[in-house]
Amino acid sequence: QVQMVESGGGLVQAGGSLRLSCAASRLTSSTYTMGWFRQAPGKEREFVSAIGRSGSTLYADQVKGRFTIFRDNAKNTVALQMNSLKPEDTAVYHCAAGRSLTRSIESYDYWGQGTQVTVSS
């Protein structure tokens, strides 16, 4: 059974940084598009960033220039470096593995349980 486990969430002040990590088991992450999504209370889950098998990346407009996604194929992990955090970045962040480089939630087949990120003002 595929498992994806996120870590690195926490409480940070506005302007601070966090690095999220996602470890995949029973799944070779290098053969999948790996993505990050987030869900704030009362809101739908939304796309944050994704990295394709070739290393191409996508970012949501709200995080472009502040967040960086990268993968370590040797460790079968994908990470999200988040800088200049804002209170509106507060959400549960989920990693996901999918078939193509896309912002569409429906294209991602495997999901982690999520890690909470809280940004205080």
Side-chain angles (χ1 to χ4, degrees):
Q1 183 176 348
V2 172
Q3 281 191 316
M4 302 181 68
V5 181
E6 302 93 339
S7 61
L11 173 64
V12 65
Q13 289 188 331
S17 298
L18 282 174
R19 177 177 290 190
L20 306 183
S21 184
C22 175
S25 61
R26 298 185 178 88
L27 176 150
T28 303
S29 61
S30 62
T31 65
Y32 285 82
T33 285
M34 301 297 290
W36 287 93
F37 291 77
R38 66 188 183 186
Q39 188 164 18
K43 295 188 176 181
E44 293 187 353
R45 191 170 296 188
E46 65 176 7
F47 172 80
V48 176
S49 181
I51 184 166
R53 291 186 294 268
S54 66
S56 298
T57 57
L58 285 176
Y59 293 95
D61 289 343
Q62 306 94 303
V63 307
K64 200 172 293 184
R66 299 189 296 123
F67 291 10
T68 303
I69 189 170
F70 54 97
R71 65 199 313 163
D72 185 335
N73 291 334
K75 296 181 179 179
N76 213 31
T77 60
V78 62
L80 185 69
Q81 177 66 41
M82 306 186 297
N83 297 329
S84 302
L85 283 161
K86 304 176 181 180
E88 51 264 43
D89 294 318
T90 294
V92 175
Y93 284 70
H94 299 266
C95 69
R99 293 155 274 159
S100 59
L101 186 59
T102 175
R103 294 174 172 84
S104 172
I105 288 178
E106 290 74 19
S107 293
Y108 291 83
D109 300 316
Y110 303 104
W111 292 84
Q113 291 297 309
T115 185
Q116 176 70 47
V117 171
T118 303
V119 184
S120 63
S121 56

